Amino acid sequence: RSMGMVMGVGEGDQPLYSSMLLSMKVDDAEKYLDEYLETVSEMGKIMEDADFPFKYEVESMQIDGRRGLKLAMDMEGMFGQQEIPQAEMMLKLMFGSDGTMNVFMAAADKNTVLGSYVSKDNLISALKAFGQDDAQLVDEPGVAKVMEMLDKDAHFIGLWSPQGTLAFASRLMGALNPAAAAEIPQLGASPPVGFTAKLTPAGLETDMAVPSDVMKSVAALVRQIMAAQAQAPPGAL
């Protein structure tokens, strides 16, 4: 019926996808997982018979005492027999040491399926938090401010954090080249940028909301970069 996804920055040496969570609203959560397991298993057999470049496996399991499943996809298989060090490094950065994309899903209640990438522990934490009265993303002041500017009836709503994007880029560069990561400037706190899309008889309507605080934060960052360049020695990038 609906789907939501969030990708966070993550911490330390965690794989980049370890902070990704998803939520799906369905008619019957356990039935959805049963049908998902059956469908994906059949697809796996077809892909194997077709000698597809990568393989995946799906299995049923209990997760925190709930009906769940695990999907494991061997992403390194995409490269066949070729050894591409940069690509293998990126896979490990994204998914972990073995380069396998693991997705865990479980029924949170009768009509909700939650999922997480990389780690089952992240899903267990989400399941424990589900339904509690803790603060939600939509309650965060910056998010709430942007949501007021967007179409409440839109079919798709997206929130993009410029601050989080730079922090994510810094983590990525830090794993590849710590010296380069130190040169990435960070953006001050600001609300996210909002996007919406809506299907109407006239076509697809899109909208974007950019709070003034975002523009102020970006302007401050530009001044910071310009000041650093002015102080850099001749020939420095």
Side-chain angles (χ1 to χ4, degrees):
R1 296 299 181 179
S2 66
M3 179 177 180
M5 181 175 289
V6 60
M7 184 172 188
V9 175
E11 299 179 354
D13 58 355
Q14 293 177 339
L16 297 178
Y17 274 46
S18 63
S19 56
M20 180 175 285
L21 295 169
L22 60 90
S23 172
M24 292 176 286
K25 290 295 183 180
V26 297
D27 291 334
D28 185 319
E30 295 201 7
K31 181 180 178 182
Y32 175 88
L33 291 173
D34 288 337
E35 293 178 347
Y36 187 96
L37 177 64
E38 180 181 355
T39 302
V40 174
S41 297
E42 289 299 320
M43 288 178 60
K45 294 177 183 177
I46 293 172
M47 293 169 70
E48 184 175 356
D49 292 341
D51 199 22
F52 213 67
F54 60 89
K55 299 182 297 183
Y56 64 83
E57 299 177 352
V58 60
E59 62 177 296
S60 179
M61 61 170 54
Q62 289 288 306
I63 299 179
D64 195 35
R66 304 165 188 261
R67 172 76 173 86
L69 56 82
K70 173 187 177 182
L71 174 67
M73 184 175 294
D74 177 16
M75 304 300 289
E76 290 186 348
M78 292 189 298
F79 308 121
Q81 301 300 316
Q82 303 179 64
E83 291 188 7
I84 308 176
Q86 295 85 352
E88 293 178 359
M89 180 187 299
M90 286 302 301
L91 287 178
K92 291 178 180 179
L93 282 174
M94 290 188 292
F95 305 118
S97 59
D98 61 356
T100 301
M101 183 178 75
N102 293 315
V103 183
F104 299 89
M105 292 190 288
D109 63 15
K110 178 174 172 44
N111 304 112
T112 309
V113 173
L114 296 184
S116 71
Y117 284 65
V118 179
S119 170
K120 182 172 68 174
D121 292 338
N122 288 346
L123 177 54
I124 292 175
S125 296
L127 289 168
K128 293 184 182 302
F130 181 80
Q132 296 184 6
D133 294 329
D134 296 342
Q136 304 295 311
L137 177 62
V138 72
D139 299 321
E140 196 275 328
V143 173
K145 180 177 182 178
V146 176
M147 292 296 291
E148 290 178 358
M149 304 166 67
L150 298 173
D151 183 357
K152 304 297 188 298
D153 297 322
H155 298 129
F156 170 84
I157 298 176
L159 298 170
W160 169 59
S161 168
Q163 179 188 16
T165 300
L166 282 176
F168 187 87
S170 182
R171 277 199 69 212
L172 175 60
M173 292 303 298
L176 299 174
N177 184 348
E183 296 177 2
I184 297 179
Q186 295 303 302
L187 200 63
S190 70
V193 174
F195 305 88
T196 63
K198 183 178 182 179
L199 286 170
T200 70
L204 181 67
E205 295 181 358
T206 61
D207 199 6
M208 180 172 68
V210 184
S212 59
D213 288 345
V214 173
M215 304 306 295
K216 293 176 182 177
S217 184
V218 171
L221 177 63
V222 171
R223 288 194 295 269
Q224 177 186 341
I225 294 173
M226 293 177 65
Q229 289 179 337
Q231 297 173 5
L237 295 178

